[in-house]
Amino acid sequence: MAKTQLNVRVDETTAEAARQRALQRGMSVNRYIEELVKQDAGEVGRTFVEAASDFMKQYESVFAEEFGEFGAGDGSGKGAGEDKDTGTGRAGKR
C-alpha cells in the first residue's frame, strides 16, 4: 500500500508520550500513530473477526467431529451432548 505523508502538530507532552509508547512497543512513532488510527477506525478488529471466521469455516468439520454440532440450530442454546431439558452435559454435570 502506498504511503502518504501526514504532518501533525501536537504539544511536547503528547509528542514525548508517543515517542515513549512507540519505543516500549519496539516500533517507530510513525508506525505507532498508524496503529492507533487503525484501531480507532476498527480496521484491526474487523481483520481479526474476518480471520477468525475464515478459520472456523476451514476447521468447522474438525470441530464438529471432535466436539459435536454445538448450537445446531434447534434454538435451545444448548450444545450437542447436552440434555435439552436439564442443561447437563455428557457427564451429567454442569
Side-chain angles (χ1 to χ4, degrees), residues 4-16:
T4 299
Q5 184 171 339
L6 176 66
N7 295 314
V8 180
R9 292 184 185 269
V10 297
D11 61 67
E12 186 55 39
T13 303
T14 302
E16 186 56 32

Side-chain angles (χ1 to χ4, degrees), residues 43-57:
E43 185 175 316
V44 173
R46 274 193 302 279
T47 301
F48 171 79
V49 170
E50 288 170 4
S53 177
D54 289 345
F55 174 85
M56 288 305 294
K57 286 175 188 171

Side-chain angles (χ1 to χ4, degrees), residues 27-82:
M27 62 178 64
S28 69
V29 174
N30 286 338
R31 176 72 188 262
Y32 175 66
I33 300 298
E34 183 178 13
E35 292 297 319
L36 288 177
V37 172
K38 284 181 179 180
Q39 286 175 6
D40 188 49
E43 185 175 316
V44 173
R46 274 193 302 279
T47 301
F48 171 79
V49 170
E50 288 170 4
S53 177
D54 289 345
F55 174 85
M56 288 305 294
K57 286 175 188 171
Q58 183 177 356
Y59 291 100
E60 182 177 21
S61 62
V62 175
F63 282 100
E65 186 177 312
E66 180 70 23
F67 301 107
E69 298 281 337
F70 287 97
D74 65 3
S76 71
K78 307 276 190 247
E82 284 190 24

